[in-house]
Amino acid sequence: MKSLPIDEDYLRDVLLELLRTPSPSGRTDAVMQIVGDRLAELGVRMRLTRRGVLRATLPGDGAPGGASRAVVVHADTIGCMVKRLKENGRLEVVPVGTHSARFAEGAHVTVFTDDLSNLHTGTVLPLMSSGHNFGDAVDTQGVGWHQVEVRLDEPVESRQDLLDLGISIGDFVALDAAPQITPNGYVKSRHLDDKAGVAACLAAVKALVDDGRSRPVTAHLLVTIGEEVGVGATHGLDEYVAELVAVDNAVVSEGQESREDTVNIGMLDSTGPFDYHLTRRLIGLCESNDLPFRRDVYRFYRSDAAPAVESGLECRTALIGFGVDSSHGHERTHLDGVRRTAELLTAYLTSPLTFSEWDDRPTGALADFPSHSVQPAEPEPARYPGRH
């Protein structure tokens, strides 16, 4: 259960390649091809579902009941879609995924038409974008998607000009990531959620392949394509999956415990608590491997673990992540946090199931259930002196 060393050059290269490949929910084929190519280079067996979700498999020694585990991460990102071709030659857009127009203002974008060779660049601007024209009104304009428009880098002045360019309602508008890695290891980029998670998972898989030792349990890496719109891990796994660990961003903000340079373990998100036993097993792996970690609770957040359980998968779930400051905005993380997330994954994937004998089967007898010894609860007192 010792963590494995991570190839940091590989981690950095994969992260930048993923960030520079647009993949808003609904238009993810290109980034999934990159993920698949990287796994193929490592000799990892994989399959894709009809919709394009990728499941890679790392064989293990196996258990009598055939139980397996899964690590789930998403390759789709937030983005926009063309809602209306405006008479002034600009584009009205709506968000793909949940994010504020406040952080889209000023973003450089790429507009993808149905003609794959016909791309256009532009900028998201507030309707009042010139201080020299609107003066102080620029500071009082409201925030919202109806308050912004996309200015294309084309000589367009009318709706017809946009049509002549081949732009249509429903075209995807990707927010350019513009990634930067500072000399001291900070990563500034849009879409770190969750491409830094994908990079961590691929780096962990590489470490496991390079190590070459057998694993106690077969593990699946599920890379989903609809998490930002709520339909991430809805399919792609089977009833043999006993444990699922979602890898996603951890919220770094006022009132949160998560940090950019550690691995962070979610205890609860907007859908409720994660599995008591699996979560504490991950904490134990951090402690035994001297991995800096933080425990945290996320109120307005959910991950791929939620749709997996909602779709009927009966398994333990947990959430780990790299810290992201200004998530779904001007995001930043640190390479140390991404690396440590990968290190925890290697320790987890080389360890047995939380309760090897019990978790190997989907059901069992009450007498065999690992309850009192691992999650005790003292009974309430029979009477309360002084209550009345």
Side-chain angles (χ1 to χ4, degrees), residues 18-294:
L18 294 171
L19 289 171
R20 290 172 177 151
T21 305
S23 59
S25 296
R27 199 182 193 283
T28 55
D29 289 2
V31 77
M32 295 303 286
Q33 187 68 51
I34 290 172
V35 174
D37 288 344
R38 289 286 187 169
L39 289 167
E41 290 169 0
L42 297 173
V44 177
R45 188 173 78 244
M46 78 193 89
R47 301 289 291 176
L48 272 75
T49 69
R50 184 178 288 110
R51 291 183 54 238
V53 170
L54 184 151
R55 186 178 75 173
T57 300
L58 296 170
D61 293 338
S68 62
R69 57 164 44 121
V71 172
V72 185
V73 65
H74 68 93
D76 63 305
T77 71
I78 56 174
C80 299
M81 181 175 281
V82 175
K83 168 68 170 63
R84 180 166 66 99
L85 311 183
K86 302 178 70 172
E87 293 300 334
N88 63 357
R90 300 194 175 187
L91 303 176
E92 179 183 338
V93 295
V94 293
V96 173
T98 303
H99 57 119
S100 172
R102 180 188 301 276
F103 297 110
E105 292 181 2
H108 291 176
V109 299
T110 301
V111 180
F112 293 90
T113 69
D114 292 346
D115 179 355
L116 300 182
S117 65
N118 185 24
L119 305 179
H120 300 282
T121 61
T123 306
V124 180
L125 297 173
L127 300 182
M128 296 182 182
S129 61
S130 172
H132 290 101
N133 184 25
F134 299 105
D136 292 342
V138 170
D139 297 322
T140 59
Q141 179 185 323
V143 175
W145 289 101
H146 62 289
Q147 298 279 5
V148 298
E149 60 188 5
V150 173
R151 177 191 66 195
L152 293 179
D153 301 323
E154 301 285 352
V156 288
E157 298 179 353
S158 67
R159 184 176 188 274
Q160 187 58 50
D161 289 341
L162 295 170
L163 290 170
D164 292 343
L165 283 178
I167 295 176
S168 304
I169 305 298
D171 285 343
F172 282 94
V173 180
L175 305 175
D176 296 351
Q180 298 179 45
I181 300 180
T182 68
N184 59 353
Y186 283 102
V187 187
K188 300 188 295 183
S189 177
R190 294 183 188 270
H191 312 315
L192 292 169
D193 173 14
D194 191 21
K195 291 184 175 179
V198 178
C201 290
L202 291 175
V205 169
K206 182 178 185 300
L208 290 164
V209 171
D210 291 346
D211 180 65
R213 283 176 288 181
S214 62
R215 289 161 291 276
V217 182
T218 292
H220 304 293
L221 172 62
L222 190 75
V223 185
T224 68
I225 56 173
E227 192 273 348
E228 295 294 358
V229 292
V231 290
T234 54
H235 69 290
L237 298 174
D238 57 35
E239 69 273 16
Y240 295 106
V241 173
E243 296 180 351
L244 182 152
V245 174
V247 180
D248 214 325
N249 79 94
V251 182
V252 177
S253 186
E254 182 179 359
Q256 298 295 143
E257 291 294 319
S258 298
R259 289 178 55 96
E260 295 167 83
D261 57 352
T262 69
V263 60
N264 304 281
I265 299 178
M267 310 301 290
L268 173 147
D269 69 3
S270 61
T271 62
F274 292 100
D275 183 79
Y276 178 94
H277 307 293
L278 178 56
T279 296
R280 281 150 185 84
R281 181 169 184 80
L282 293 169
I283 290 171
L285 289 171
C286 287
E287 292 172 339
S288 63
N289 285 279
D290 295 323
L291 282 174
F293 74 97
R294 292 294 183 98

Side-chain angles (χ1 to χ4, degrees), residues 338-352:
V338 184
R339 186 192 75 249
R340 286 163 175 162
T341 300
E343 289 173 344
L344 175 56
L345 286 173
T346 65
Y348 169 64
L349 294 175
T350 53
S351 68

Side-chain angles (χ1 to χ4, degrees), residues 271-325:
T271 62
F274 292 100
D275 183 79
Y276 178 94
H277 307 293
L278 178 56
T279 296
R280 281 150 185 84
R281 181 169 184 80
L282 293 169
I283 290 171
L285 289 171
C286 287
E287 292 172 339
S288 63
N289 285 279
D290 295 323
L291 282 174
F293 74 97
R294 292 294 183 98
R295 298 160 59 137
D296 212 344
V297 167
Y298 309 116
R299 293 175 297 175
F300 307 109
Y301 172 99
R302 59 181 253 158
S303 69
D304 270 306
V309 173
E310 291 166 354
S311 65
L313 201 63
E314 204 288 307
C315 62
R316 303 185 189 278
T317 61
L319 170 68
I320 67 172
F322 49 95
V324 173
D325 189 274

